Amino acid sequence: MSDTDRSPEPSTLSAVLARLPQTQDDLADLYRDLHAHPELSFAEARTAGVITQRLRDLDLEVTAGIGGTGVAAVLANGPGPRVLLRADFDALPVQEQTGLPYASTAEGVMHACGHDMHVTCLLGALDLLVAGRAHWSGTVTAVFQPAEEIGGGAQAMIDDGLFDRIGTPDVVLGQHVAPLPTGMVGCHPGPAFAATDALKITLYGKGAHGSRPEAAIDPVVMAAATVMRLQTVVSREIAGGETAVLTVGALNAGTKDNIIPDTAELKLNIRTFTDPVRATVLAAVKRIVEGESQAAGATRAPDIEPTGTFPVLVNNEDAVARTLAAFRRHFGEEHVLDPGQATGSEDCGIFATTSGAPMCYWIFGGTDPDTYRKAQEAGTADRDIPSNHSPHFAPLIEPTITNGVEAMTTAALTWLALRQA
Ligand code: ZN
Ligand code: ZN
């Protein structure tokens, strides 16, 4: 075995995974139940209750109510590394359109990002690690995190003393279900998920009758010019080899055709991977918003208010190499890929940056391989395969759960100390 290949011996891994077929039906039931009962960020009371009960049934040391609805569990099993396994559990304000028999029962709320799958897989992995504790030594800590979608849950749990309660980890491991074929696992070393900056911008004009532009400073035209000019930030100020996304997701002004309103409001979402690019984009946004406002003759400077932020998620290169070596050995070389950088964001990285532990965060497939192959052959995979946050997002229950449980268990055993049972 090379230095990076610290994969658990196949015999040890298969001994721990042997119990999985007995738990599959129960895990599928759990997944359908969670999927049918989604809850929005920081309001995940029922979900946290289900998780807490399951963890107690496993005889783990459980703490609920961390950072709001967060739940953590500790399984101390002798000397050895302390491994943090993380699953998030909030849902989104999306009206489900899958037509599945276990579709959401909550109006306008859906597990459209697959966090119900993450909870199911982590509980499945914990069940195996508890039953197979004779095969390993160390401490497994499990973190069930609220409010990932609004970027507040990880920080809230840390601010509420998470590491005082469960100890400081030696490694942070997490996973996300993605629109890849089932059986595929992907991980990108280095900056893997983008930083997000969300901004609310208020432009101040001067309202008047729609027939009298001479009496007004029109914030609608100001907003339109600002939106167009903001499109030049990425195309004209960011180097070709760098990545940035700037989306104006909302533009609101006015009520009626013959009234020039007082104000206009823009909502921006910015994605970047490095501090210099982030600083360039944020400075350009400020310059353009203020400049367009001034060019329009506004009597008051615009307000630029940050409304949300995610740091970039950086995967530790050695941690990725070590974990992926184990995945290649278990799933097969052809089932492990580097998906490149994702412009999506994830607050899981905060557990690593705050504790100083290396991080390995991977994605695993939830799409029927035949469906995926046909769409890819037609060149329409990006458009036709429902992705996370789509009202049609519907991971295959199996073999997705099995793969997610196996990935989490394999990764954990790669970092724990192994012993002959
Ligand atoms: Zn999401
Ligand atoms: Zn997500």
Side-chain angles (χ1 to χ4, degrees), residues 41-314:
S41 306
F42 283 130
E44 312 94 334
R46 179 186 185 277
T47 309
V50 169
I51 292 166
T52 302
Q53 189 53 52
R54 290 244 167 193
L55 294 170
R56 294 216 166 106
D57 291 347
L58 288 171
D59 273 337
L60 299 178
E61 199 185 301
V62 186
T63 312
I66 307 178
T69 42
V71 183
V74 177
L75 170 55
N77 189 33
R82 185 175 286 269
V83 171
L84 189 159
L85 311 178
R86 180 271 204 173
D88 46 5
F89 60 60
D90 55 331
L92 284 160
V94 170
Q95 180 64 45
E96 180 158 354
Q97 293 175 37
T98 61
L100 290 166
Y102 53 91
S104 171
T105 56
E107 183 72 19
V109 184
M110 176 189 176
H111 267 299
C113 203
H115 298 181
D116 44 356
M117 184 60 77
H118 308 166
V119 170
T120 304
C121 293
L122 180 48
L123 286 169
L126 290 171
D127 173 80
L128 298 181
L129 290 166
V130 168
R133 64 204 299 167
H135 295 277
W136 59 272
S137 171
T139 300
V140 168
T141 60
V143 172
F144 291 87
Q145 182 209 305
E148 187 282 330
E149 292 293 351
I150 58 169
Q155 194 63 52
M157 288 188 80
I158 289 165
D159 291 346
D160 200 11
L162 176 69
F163 295 134
D164 295 338
R165 298 165 193 253
I166 67 164
T168 304
D170 295 309
V171 66
V172 175
L173 302 170
Q175 61 180 356
H176 208 300
V177 66
L180 288 174
T182 56
M184 298 298 294
V185 185
C187 189
H188 182 74
F193 290 81
T196 292
D197 287 281
L199 304 175
K200 186 174 105 177
I201 292 168
T202 308
L203 302 170
Y204 295 98
K206 182 166 178 282
H209 197 284
S211 67
R212 297 195 62 220
E214 75 278 16
I217 297 167
D218 190 345
V220 174
V221 176
M222 207 189 301
T226 303
V227 170
M228 293 309 291
R229 182 121 198 146
L230 285 172
Q231 302 312 309
T232 66
V233 175
V234 174
S235 68
R236 301 293 79 199
E237 299 193 45
I238 301 301
E242 299 285 0
T243 301
V245 177
L246 191 166
T247 292
V248 181
L251 192 173
N252 294 300
T255 52
K256 196 174 182 301
D257 58 296
N258 64 353
I259 302 171
I260 298 170
D262 269 327
T263 61
E265 185 182 277
L266 306 179
K267 288 181 180 170
L268 272 58
N269 190 286
I270 296 161
R271 306 289 169 125
T272 54
F273 287 97
T274 67
D275 287 340
V277 171
R278 177 172 180 261
T280 299
V281 173
L282 290 175
V285 166
K286 183 170 189 294
R287 191 189 71 238
I288 288 169
V289 169
E290 289 177 352
E292 288 295 343
S293 186
Q294 209 170 27
T299 50
R300 183 176 158 188
D303 290 331
I304 302 176
E305 181 196 339
T307 53
T309 181
F310 284 79
V312 65
L313 182 148
V314 181

